[in-house]
Structure formats: structure tokens, C-alpha cells
Amino acid sequence: MLALEAAGCIGSHCPDTKSGPETGSFEGVVKGPDLKNAREDGETDADRCEAACRVVADEVLDDIETCEAVGPEDDRERPWAEGVAEITVTCTATYTPFQFCTGRRPQGHREADIAVQSRADWFAVHAHLERAAVTAFRELAEWLTGSGAPAGLVARCRDAAADEVRHADALEALARRDGAEVPPPRADPPTGDLFAVACHNAVEGCVSEAFAAVVAAHQAAHARSLELRALFARIAADELRHGQLAWDLHAWLWDRLTPAQQTAVAELQARALLDLPDNSRRAAAATPRELGWPGPDHAARMAELFARRLRDAAGLAA
């Protein structure tokens, strides 16, 4: 209920592991509707160049430091003139890396280097992450079995792995249909330490996976095609179960931690919730609207509501 209410279905990535802003250089061609929007939205040529830079960048940009736009060879000095069909933009900018909030990454997961610049890229990233979640749940089921966990928890992890196989297959088919390849997930071997497993579950399961249900529920109501709405409805229902599984695992693991470890896990989880709105805003900005994600401001508000209600329910400090 919490996830569905936060998504606005009853009423109306992801914890961020960033280390700080980075600086990158971006170059590309802008044309068609993107060029028209940049030309019309900017009041000055500098504004127009910055708008075009955000189109060609493969990150959500913070501050644009330098920007140059040139027209085609016969009109290089007048890129913003009416009639110019395409321009080339070169810029440098700072950005803060983010992770899409999609399911549970395994311990030691290595993020794939996929720039999300199209619908096909988005499907490829999420198919990749859903495939990684298969590994995460299989590893968790094996660890729980060896740790004497209740059989019910083990079975639910295995069922969740089967769910993630279906998600990955469906999203990979969409990616391939749109012309994108999906890289296989890569991860370092998991850590079998109880405290490490508890930390991982507190963030990847209790925060990331639970909020993935929120976003998928929004997509189920707002994606532009009936095919995608049906797919995201199935994913939302599955991720809601996975989020509940994460919290049931959290309770079982919590009782086996020392007081100092419990404090550390709670602080880690609280920090993930604090970072969630900004991370969600950036992920929303990188997602094509046709896929049903909320806009950046709406995504941040959803994450804030989710985080506030989860903090209240779990007794976490803001």
C-alpha cells in the first residue's frame, strides 16, 4: 500500500553511490525537434547552446562550463538562423552520476557503460539490471540456505529470481526490437558476512527495490502504449512483493546483528532515503516520457513522500 500510495495510484538505481560531481566533454549533432526547441526556448545564443548541450550529453548536467555551436559548412557562424537544419555542439559540463532505481543489484555489481539517449538505450539498461537482479536473488537464496534461514524466505528469493528472469526477457526483447544490445551483468563474488548482507539488503532491497515498485506502478498508469502499461503493471506487482521480501529479510537479519551493527545499517538506510529524491530526479530526466516515468520534479516529490513514510514506519532519523 505504501508503494502504491506514493506512486499516486490510490490518491491522485536508488540509493545514490555517487562520490561527487565529475566533469565531462560532450559533442554531438542536434537537429529536428531538439534543434527547434533549443532555438525557441533560449533567450540568448548562450542559452540555446546550453539547451543543445543537454541534448547531446549522456548525463544529466549540473553546470555547463563551456559551449560552442556551429552550423553546417556553408553556414558555420549562424547555427541559430532559421533554415539551418542541424548544428554541431561541443561543450564541457559538470554532472553527478546517478543509478537507475530498478530492482536489486547483486553484491559487487559493476555498472554497465550505457549512455541513455533513446528509448532503446533505456530498455537495454533496465534489461541489464533485471538480469543482474536474477543473480542477486539466487546468491541471496544460497546464502540464506547456508545460514539456516527459514525455508519460506529462501523459497521467496527463488521465486523472485524467476520473476526477474521474466522481467529481463521482456525488456531485452523490447531493447532488441528497437535496435539495442543488452550487455550481460558482471559482478565480483559476493561477501558472505552477515553484516555485509544486512547492509546490502537494507539499501538494495528495502529502498531501491521498494521504490522500483513505486515507479513501475506510475509507468503502468502513464506509459503511452497498452503493451508497456501491461508490462509495467506486472513488474510493479512483482517488485511490490520483492520490496516486502526485503523488509522481511531485514527483520530476520536485524535480530542477528550487534547493537553497533544495527546502528550502522540504520544510518546507511537513512542516507539512501535522503539521497533518493535527487537520484530519482536525475533518472526521470534521462527517461523518455513515453515510457510513463514521472517528470523530474514529480519523481523527486514521489521519492520524498516514499522516504518520509518509510522513515516513519521504520523509525529512522530524517
Side-chain angles (χ1 to χ4, degrees):
M1 289 290 287
L2 169 64
L4 294 176
E5 184 175 351
C9 299
I10 296 177
S12 55
H13 5 100
C14 305
D16 196 328
T17 58
K18 59 182 180 285
S19 58
E22 299 180 8
T23 300
S25 297
F26 308 96
E27 181 177 355
V29 173
V30 180
K31 57 186 178 180
D34 290 330
L35 177 57
K36 181 176 183 292
N37 291 339
R39 183 182 285 129
E40 294 178 352
D41 292 348
E43 295 184 1
T44 68
D45 286 353
D47 292 339
R48 297 179 187 110
C49 192
E50 289 194 3
C53 176
R54 295 184 188 280
V55 172
V56 303
D58 58 2
E59 299 286 350
V60 180
L61 305 180
D62 298 325
D63 296 310
I64 298 175
E65 298 175 351
T66 64
C67 190
E68 179 184 9
V70 297
E73 289 186 5
D74 57 347
D75 215 347
R76 291 182 63 81
E77 303 303 320
R78 301 172 63 248
W80 307 111
E82 291 294 336
V84 173
E86 64 178 45
I87 65 173
T88 300
V89 177
T90 305
C91 55
T92 59
T94 59
Y95 63 95
T96 305
F98 71 92
Q99 293 180 349
F100 280 103
C101 188
T102 302
R104 177 190 288 260
R105 289 165 170 81
Q107 288 190 54
H109 176 71
R110 298 185 182 184
E111 294 293 329
D113 185 14
I114 306 175
V116 180
Q117 297 178 310
S118 68
R119 160 187 160 122
D121 296 335
W122 191 95
F123 285 136
V125 167
H126 286 74
H128 166 83
L129 291 174
E130 296 286 5
R131 195 73 69 191
V134 177
T135 299
F137 277 115
R138 287 174 176 169
E139 289 178 347
L140 185 56
E142 182 177 351
W143 183 86
L144 289 169
T145 299
S147 301
L153 288 178
V154 175
R156 289 165 66 188
C157 287
R158 290 178 176 152
D159 289 344
D163 292 338
E164 303 291 13
V165 169
R166 290 190 292 272
H167 300 173
D169 288 346
L171 290 167
E172 183 165 350
L174 291 169
R176 292 184 182 278
R177 190 172 74 184
D178 284 356
E181 292 297 319
V182 179
R186 296 185 304 135
D188 296 327
T191 300
D193 176 72
L194 172 70
F195 178 56
V197 173
C199 288
H200 183 262
N201 180 70
V203 173
E204 282 295 318
C206 297
V207 176
S208 180
E209 196 152 33
F211 190 66
V214 172
V215 175
H218 192 280
Q219 291 181 281
H222 296 89
R224 292 181 190 170
S225 79
L226 293 178
E227 176 190 26
L228 291 179
R229 289 190 179 201
L231 171 61
F232 292 133
R234 293 194 298 272
I235 290 176
D238 291 342
E239 297 297 352
L240 195 60
R241 289 198 307 276
H242 300 174
Q244 184 60 60
L245 169 59
W247 281 97
D248 292 344
L249 284 168
H250 182 73
W252 184 82
L253 292 163
W254 184 266
D255 290 341
R256 286 153 181 78
L257 298 173
T258 67
Q261 289 173 331
Q262 290 175 345
T263 298
V265 168
E267 290 176 350
L268 183 66
Q269 194 173 69
R271 187 162 65 248
L273 289 170
L274 186 64
D275 288 342
L276 190 62
D278 181 62
N279 202 61
S280 299
R281 183 190 302 276
R282 294 172 182 277
T287 300
R289 292 283 81 77
E290 66 184 282
L291 301 182
W293 256 68
D297 290 343
H298 188 184
R301 289 194 297 271
M302 284 169 51
E304 288 167 359
L305 174 61
F306 173 85
R308 183 169 65 250
R309 292 183 180 275
L310 207 54
R311 277 194 293 262
D312 290 346
L316 298 171

